[in-house]
Amino acid sequence: MNVSTTRRGFLAGGAGLMIALSLPMGRARAQGAAATAPFAPNAFIRIGTDDLVTVMIKHIEMGQGPYTGLSTLVAEELDADWSQMRAEGAPADAKLYANLAFGAQGTGGSTAMANSYMQMRKAGAAARAMLVAAAAAEWGVPAEEITVKAGVVAHEASGKTSGFGALTEAAAKQAVPEDPPLKTAKDFVLIGKDLPRLDTKSKTDGTAIFTMDVYRDGMLTVLVAHPPKFGAKVKSVDDKAALAVKGVEMVRPISSGVAVYATNTYAAMKGREALVVEWDDAGAETRGTDEIYASLAQMVAEGGKTVEEQGDIAAVTNPAQVIEAEFRFPYLAHAPLEPLDAVIETKGGKAEMWYGCQFPTFDHMAVATTLGIPIEDVSINVLMAGGSFGRRAQGSSHLAIEAAEIAKAAGRDGAFKLVWTREDDLKGGYYRPITVHKLRAGISDDGKILSWENVVANQSILTGTPMAAMLKGAPDSTSFEGSSGLPYQFGARRIGWGQMESPVSVLWWRSVGHTHTAYAVEAFLDEVLEAMGKDSIAGRLELLPPEATRERGVIEKVAEISGWTGRTRDGKGYGMAYTKSFDTYVAEVVEVEDRGGKPHVTKVWCAVDCGVAVNPDVIRAQMEGGIGYALSAVLHSKITMAPGGEVEQSNFHDYPMLRISEMPEVEVAIIQSDADPTGVGEPGVPPLGPALANAWRALSGQKQHQLPFLAGVIS
Amino acid sequence: MTKFQVNGRDYDLDIDPDTPLLWVLRDELRLTGTKFGCGVAQCGACTVMLDGVPRRSCVTPISAVEGSEVTTIEGMEGPEITAVQAAWNEIDVPQCGWCQSGQIMSATALLQQVPSPTDDDINNAMAGNICRCATYVRIRQAIHAAAKTLEG
Amino acid sequence: MKHLTVMLVAGLIAASPVLAQDGLNGPDAFANITDQTERSAALFQEMGKVLTHPRCLNCHTVTGGPTQGDDMHAHEPPVVRGDADFGAPGMNCNTCHGTTNVGFSTEKGSIPGHDSWMLAPVSMGWQGVSLGEICAQIKDPARNGDRTLEDLYEHHAHDGLVGWGWDPGEGRKPAPGSQEIFGQLTRAWIDTGAACPG
């Protein structure tokens, strides 16, 4: 079949938006056999003569499930059988694969399902209509009499049936419908079912291909020596010993450090170890963590800039009691288990990349600019990623740029695999910002919160990246989201923000601002409720306005499934917290035991309202995982800098991860809803920390105002 | 020269004797199911079978496997691995998947030695395998399920 | 990668075994103690600098699994003793530890290893135990692996795993002195009646 016949106008749905899209097949060539499938009705679907339906997934699969979730949407409207569905990562192409929430291709903010919900369904419905039209023409029967069920196209009266594969050639010649009808929720066959994940098998037999598994002919592996202090630069390099290592081919300075190129990974490691680099610390962050905390504490004491205000807290002059607390949150590394990596190959003025690219549009532009070639000459194959949790979503495109610089500095065409070690990852910045919160509540004799003030101080994530333009001069809300926008009714409230500048790079970390705001707000609120003699659940419900039905729904649900009776029961502590993040409502109850003076979480109950539950099992998995990810951080994690500015942690022995013995039992209840689906990758994270803080306070009497729980206190 | 067997095939490689087995498997033999996560035996993603017992390949110099039999996830056979993989699929354990080869190797070794493990047995055997996605709830479930399958 | 400061530190580490020699006196240093029993106890006291050194104590725990580091913190990843003092089924000592120390490929430091790398049995647990009690245990065949005093000398003077204490691999401070001096101390202690400190 002529490739040009597959170019089709395509309807990109989402908020009623209609964009005509064409599908250049060449772009997807590197994506495997599916690209040559005979029926490609739009940029998202390929159907082969073997009946297999491959969905091009515009969101990176990093464990959160879009391969399965987005394929479900297509399969639903296509009326495919789940066993014939396959998924592949879509390559970088902003025109075809933009996140409709961003206007650029990228994954983040738990938007994958929300922005794809209508688009993927329409893609499936369009393909179904074309298959039906093809069958109608072939069989000489009216299209309206044709049914499609579980991958079988049938005409009952004539007894004719066909799989998709046999119809592909004819279907490809059909007009693409402008506005294919979609099912109503009651007719859903696949949406709402616990369908098995499409990526599980390859992840249990070692065949899944991640970035580090890509090997190109003649490829060199490259490690980069980064400066030990943030903001330091290379002063001088002695590469003699490095070049003497067998397998090391070259050493090149690049903007982020010194790159060592070798014929294999171990040689690159040895070569880098043998480098002698002198660094220029002018402009480097030389403060240690204690000093940074002191300066943030000073900022919250000064009150920050007002970013949200309701009523006048200054007018609340005579509360019966004032409760105050300061909370401290350390820098956190994301530590995805596959460290950062990227493969780039340059040939005749063009470049092709393979990696777990989370922001393809930004990276695409950055690589083209770095190499000085047109964007059309750069292709990015988006592979599955061994975790991200925000780490691969780089507004700065620093990893892609580093890979491009490596290719450029080589001074010749070739293939290069950039590998970061765990040490590079933990010492390499892009942390959840170190943050201090100050909270102050004025309460009345009759159990009312008259005033609520929350001042936050930290670094801005967006400042200094291409996304800073989006702020248009407004304060970076990712720094205090969740302190702002609370549903609770207080007499008066003020949210303040102090912005710290530092050369330490920061980034969104699974649930972004909510990682610290939820903890500060929900732990402090529980202390205030307790001071007023109120229960955690009843006290919160009282603070909610009548229209807060979804908030109320998850709180009541978690109370129900946990059998909530109060903050302690049978020698165990129980704590509850609620957070809305990324438009998803989550309430969690933590059950904690005292094991030798340390908290041990035995069970977590979680109620989640994320609209239509496309795949309940994926939602449960994300809640389980989010709870474990959060527990790991609140129990164990902190990145600290010694005075002078060098990071003190290097690997999992001193940045310990949650182990299986620490993982609680998790019970998840999903609220039935017809609302459009919202994200689940991040929202399970925020309530866990404060729920634990509240449970532990109830059990031990200790208020944990500084994280993590189990590391020595930083004064 | 180092002589050893991987997944039943003989190899005789001229290689820096300090090279960790992990990088020989990946860079030289292109057996990429075995993963790099930490390099210091903290995470377990690089677990292989060395002469039938689990071993972190990132801290195993190739010189130490002279004359040995290495089995990677790609070469595993037998009732335990079959039951473990089936349970992993049935329960949809993996999320990102990076750690799962290592988890499956450790779980298989556990079931080879303890056919009906308790939760404590699972905690102890799996303590060296980090799952950053925290799929631990399902790992535990899947090991119990595989044990049940093996009981017959 | 080496920073200039790191090279300096590396130089100090290289010099440290020499300094450590000074940390353990040979038997001659006790020659002036005329009372033989007192001298014997003093010799054991000196041996105690080795016996209670973290390099030894970390695998001579009283309960549970091994500890790590000079501050003897819990082993990470968490490991248990197991029925055979060799870890749990599925995660034995030799899942990670080999027959020699192995330098890390990605950072400074090493994972320790030696032939038959395993925990000392609970009967030989020394953490938190007084030196006098360690001495009594070490002489008691019921609790020392059925060793005679001569066996004990052999063990201290020539056993490879004991010797690992002075060759613990990059990133760990060796036990004080040397196995040779430790052997000489043990010899002298036995020859003076193997008395225990009070």
Side-chain angles (χ1 to χ4, degrees):
Chain A
M1 183 182 60
N2 189 325
V3 163
S4 65
T5 63
T6 65
R7 288 172 184 262
R8 297 284 180 191
F10 177 66
L11 178 77
L17 185 67
M18 287 175 63
I19 316 166
L21 295 174
S22 65
L23 177 63
M25 294 298 288
R27 176 69 70 207
R29 199 182 304 134
Q31 294 291 319
T36 57
F39 181 39
N42 50 56
F44 300 105
I45 299 175
R46 311 269 190 280
I47 304 180
T49 50
D50 54 4
D51 286 341
L52 293 182
V53 179
T54 302
V55 183
M56 306 300 288
I57 307 295
K58 66 178 187 171
H59 291 290
I60 184 172
E61 176 60 79
M62 47 199 179
Q64 85 286 29
Y67 274 23
T68 304
L70 270 52
S71 298
T72 303
L73 303 176
V74 168
E76 179 68 65
E77 297 291 347
L78 182 57
D79 280 312
D81 190 74
W82 186 242
S83 64
Q84 73 191 117
M85 300 304 293
R86 302 289 183 271
E88 279 187 20
D93 192 323
K95 282 203 223 54
L96 298 179
Y97 299 120
N99 181 332
L100 303 177
F102 299 167
Q105 189 176 353
T107 303
S110 296
T111 57
M113 183 55 74
N115 95 93
S116 306
Y117 187 57
M118 296 307 284
Q119 187 182 37
M120 289 298 119
R121 289 175 60 198
K122 285 185 178 177
R128 181 190 189 278
M130 292 162 78
L131 287 165
V132 167
E138 208 142 287
W139 299 337
V141 302
E144 307 77 69
E145 293 178 9
I146 289 175
T147 58
V148 187
K149 201 176 165 190
V152 178
V153 184
H155 182 251
E156 202 185 334
S158 64
K160 288 191 188 296
T161 65
S162 174
F164 294 167
L167 293 169
T168 51
E169 201 172 326
K173 293 177 187 138
Q174 304 298 319
V176 178
E178 285 291 306
D179 197 10
L182 298 181
K183 292 180 180 176
T184 52
K186 68 173 172 42
D187 296 324
F188 287 161
V189 177
L190 299 175
I191 291 175
K193 296 277 182 335
D194 287 340
L195 300 172
R197 287 178 67 123
L198 294 178
D199 52 346
T200 293
K201 189 176 178 303
S202 72
K203 288 175 175 177
T204 57
D205 61 12
T207 58
I209 296 297
F210 299 86
T211 305
M212 209 176 289
D213 307 331
V214 173
Y215 287 84
R216 307 288 300 170
D217 286 345
M219 185 182 81
L220 297 179
T221 300
V222 183
L223 266 68
V224 178
H226 296 121
K229 296 181 186 184
F230 295 101
K233 299 270 178 246
V234 176
K235 193 187 235 172
S236 69
V237 185
D238 177 354
D239 61 8
K240 272 194 293 295
L243 288 168
V245 172
K246 194 181 164 202
V248 172
E249 300 251 312
M250 52 186 156
V251 173
R252 297 279 187 271
I254 58 173
S255 67
S256 58
V258 183
V260 178
Y261 303 63
T263 51
N264 65 73
T265 314
Y266 183 57
M269 287 172 173
K270 276 178 98 166
R272 184 172 71 167
E273 184 62 30
L275 272 184
V276 181
V277 185
E278 211 183 333
W279 303 96
D280 174 5
D281 286 348
E285 174 65 271
T286 55
R287 292 180 297 170
T289 300
D290 292 355
E291 241 184 297
I292 294 176
Y293 266 135
S295 107
L296 291 170
Q298 177 70 27
M299 291 172 104
V300 293
E302 286 163 5
K305 174 180 176 174
T306 300
V307 292
E308 184 179 289
E309 197 164 27
Q310 185 197 8
D312 183 4
I313 54 164
V316 181
T317 50
N318 207 9
Q321 196 184 340
V322 172
I323 301 173
E324 281 184 300
E326 186 194 273
F327 290 78
R328 295 185 172 200
F329 303 92
Y331 283 120
L332 294 177
H334 308 68
L337 207 58
E338 178 188 19
L340 296 186
D341 44 8
V343 174
I344 184 166
E345 185 168 89
T346 51
K347 197 176 178 184
K350 297 190 178 192
E352 184 166 5
M353 299 181 76
W354 296 261
Y355 67 110
C357 172
Q358 195 170 342
F359 276 179
T361 301
F362 290 136
D363 284 7
H364 210 177
M365 294 190 289
V367 169
T369 304
T370 303
L371 294 175
I373 60 177
I375 199 163
E376 297 74 37
D377 291 339
V378 177
S379 50
I380 299 177
N381 302 285
V382 180
L383 305 188
M384 289 196 289
S388 169
F389 317 110
R391 185 62 183 90
R392 297 178 209 273
Q394 299 150 11
S396 67
S397 292
H398 76 89
L399 184 78
I401 290 171
E402 189 166 79
E405 286 195 10
I406 281 164
K408 193 174 180 181
R412 61 163 174 82
D413 279 352
F416 309 94
K417 181 193 286 181
L418 166 63
V419 174
W420 282 41
T421 61
R422 179 59 51 204
E423 292 79 7
D424 295 332
D425 174 54
L426 293 184
K427 291 181 180 294
Y430 295 92
Y431 304 130
R432 190 284 300 275
I434 187 170
T435 301
V436 173
H437 278 249
K438 187 168 196 293
L439 290 106
R440 192 166 192 273
I443 58 180
S444 69
D445 279 334
D446 60 345
K448 296 249 163 27
I449 299 175
L450 304 173
S451 64
W452 177 274
E453 186 179 29
N454 182 178
V455 184
V456 187
N458 55 17
Q459 280 170 260
S460 158
I461 292 169
L462 295 178
T463 301
T465 76
M467 281 171 292
M470 286 159 47
L471 296 173
K472 298 194 176 84
D476 179 356
S477 63
T478 64
S479 302
F480 49 80
E481 58 181 353
S483 281
S484 59
L486 288 178
Y488 303 123
Q489 292 176 310
F490 304 129
R493 81 177 79 197
R494 174 184 181 271
I495 312 302
W497 179 47
Q499 183 180 354
M500 183 184 79
E501 309 271 352
S502 167
V504 181
S505 48
V506 293
L507 195 59
W508 21 59
W509 187 101
R510 197 174 187 177
S511 79
V512 199
H514 300 282
T515 58
H516 51 87
T517 58
Y519 190 98
V521 166
E522 289 285 312
F524 183 67
L525 177 62
D526 212 66
E527 291 172 23
V528 172
L529 290 173
E530 194 178 17
M532 298 192 299
K534 297 194 181 200
D535 176 66
S536 302
I537 302 262
R540 278 176 179 76
L541 291 174
E542 271 176 35
L543 288 170
L544 290 172
E547 65 272 18
T549 52
R550 296 179 79 178
E551 288 87 342
R552 196 175 293 280
V554 292
I555 293 173
E556 286 171 348
K557 188 65 169 179
V558 84
E560 176 200 321
I561 61 172
S562 66
W564 179 267
T565 57
R567 293 187 177 95
T568 53
R569 188 166 80 212
D570 303 333
K572 291 180 183 178
Y574 293 83
M576 181 270 168
Y578 154 80
T579 312
K580 177 189 176 188
S581 62
F582 312 97
D583 296 324
T584 292
Y585 304 75
V586 181
E588 291 171 8
V589 167
V590 160
E591 175 184 83
V592 70
E593 286 179 6
D594 184 333
R595 292 216 183 149
K598 293 175 182 172
H600 180 83
V601 179
T602 45
K603 179 143 190 190
V604 178
W605 293 267
C606 169
V608 52
D609 178 351
C610 55
V612 172
V614 174
N615 186 322
D617 197 48
V618 169
I619 295 167
R620 281 192 292 273
Q622 285 307 298
M623 294 303 121
E624 292 162 8
I627 283 163
Y629 195 81
L631 185 57
S632 190
V634 298
L635 287 180
H636 300 298
S637 302
K638 61 172 179 179
I639 292 288
T640 56
M641 274 103 76
E646 291 196 26
V647 172
E648 294 178 296
Q649 292 72 28
S650 68
N651 210 314
F652 294 136
H653 65 285
D654 53 13
Y655 190 75
M657 300 283 106
L658 192 82
R659 305 271 176 179
I660 192 168
S661 58
E662 300 170 296
M663 183 73 197
E665 215 185 302
V666 178
E667 186 178 330
V668 179
I670 302 168
I671 306 287
Q672 285 291 324
S673 170
D674 291 333
D676 282 350
T678 51
V680 294
E682 298 170 274
V685 172
L688 185 281
L692 171 57
N694 298 339
W696 185 242
R697 190 186 79 249
L699 185 65
S700 70
Q702 294 165 25
K703 294 174 182 172
Q704 190 73 32
H705 287 182
Q706 174 149 356
L707 292 182
F709 269 73
L710 297 183
V713 172
I714 310 156
S715 56
Chain B
M1 301 295 276
T2 309
K3 282 189 183 185
F4 60 108
Q5 235 184 31
V6 181
N7 299 338
R9 280 184 60 181
D10 290 319
Y11 291 92
D12 193 353
L13 299 179
D14 179 16
I15 218 159
D16 178 347
D18 290 344
T19 309
L21 173 61
L22 169 67
W23 297 110
V24 176
L25 294 172
R26 293 182 56 83
D27 287 349
E28 308 301 324
L29 309 185
R30 303 285 160 89
L31 290 166
T32 55
T34 306
K35 302 302 189 194
F36 166 68
C38 71
V40 298
Q42 282 290 335
C43 80
C46 68
T47 306
V48 299
M49 297 293 181
L50 183 62
D51 296 325
V53 293
R55 175 82 198 155
R56 309 287 186 246
S57 63
C58 73
V59 290
T60 307
I62 193 65
S63 56
V65 304
E66 172 75 42
S68 289
E69 258 180 66
V70 178
T71 313
T72 68
I73 183 84
E74 292 92 344
M76 290 291 284
E77 284 173 4
E80 291 85 6
I81 182 77
T82 305
V84 165
Q85 283 171 326
W88 246 249
N89 274 277
E90 177 60 32
I91 293 168
D92 263 343
V93 173
Q95 290 186 27
C96 89
W98 191 255
C99 74
Q100 298 293 349
S101 295
Q103 304 279 1
I104 285 170
M105 298 301 268
S106 292
T108 302
L110 168 64
L111 290 172
Q112 284 169 347
Q113 296 171 49
V114 184
S116 297
T118 62
D119 276 344
D120 274 348
D121 291 334
I122 293 172
N123 285 345
N124 295 337
M126 306 302 290
N129 290 87
I130 289 170
C131 176
R132 189 63 174 132
C133 302
T135 63
Y136 298 125
V137 169
R138 291 174 189 231
I139 288 172
R140 181 184 306 283
Q141 239 180 305
I143 293 173
H144 284 308
K148 239 191 184 129
T149 308
L150 289 167
E151 270 172 24
Chain C
M1 128 199 60
K2 282 188 187 122
H3 313 306
L4 294 176
T5 48
V6 167
M7 293 181 69
L8 202 65
V9 172
L12 288 173
I13 289 170
S16 59
V18 179
L19 295 171
Q21 292 280 352
D22 302 333
L24 192 69
N25 295 304
D28 291 356
F30 303 89
N32 60 347
I33 304 177
T34 47
D35 182 285
Q36 183 172 303
T37 305
E38 259 178 52
R39 186 158 79 247
S40 190
L43 284 161
F44 194 85
Q45 195 80 41
E46 192 65 10
M47 287 163 65
K49 290 182 181 170
V50 172
L51 298 171
T52 61
H53 190 272
R55 288 300 78 71
C56 302
L57 279 193
N58 276 332
C59 289
H60 280 265
T61 55
V62 174
T63 56
T67 52
Q68 284 180 319
D70 288 348
D71 60 354
M72 301 197 289
H73 59 269
H75 190 282
E76 180 71 19
V79 294
V80 294
R81 170 177 290 276
D83 295 339
D85 306 314
F86 190 54
M91 193 180 169
N92 295 137
C93 298
N94 70 358
T95 298
C96 301
H97 298 276
T99 54
T100 56
N101 301 322
V102 173
F104 293 138
S105 52
T106 57
E107 61 178 298
K108 292 189 297 290
S110 60
I111 179 164
H114 196 276
D115 265 333
S116 60
W117 187 264
M118 61 189 292
L119 281 164
V122 174
S123 68
M124 301 183 199
W126 297 341
Q127 280 193 15
V129 173
S130 76
L131 198 56
E133 287 164 357
I134 291 175
C135 182
Q137 179 269 307
I138 227 169
K139 291 199 297 181
D140 177 1
R143 292 185 289 157
N144 75 3
D146 202 21
R147 288 184 174 94
T148 64
L149 288 175
E150 278 314 307
D151 292 340
L152 210 55
Y153 165 73
E154 234 355 82
H155 184 65
H156 286 188
H158 300 120
D159 181 82
L161 191 51
V162 171
W164 174 89
W166 291 274
D167 178 25
E170 187 192 345
R172 272 172 294 274
K173 262 194 295 200
S178 64
Q179 188 169 18
E180 192 186 354
I181 298 173
F182 186 54
Q184 289 165 6
L185 283 168
T186 306
R187 178 79 270 155
W189 169 64
I190 293 168
D191 293 348
T192 51
C196 289

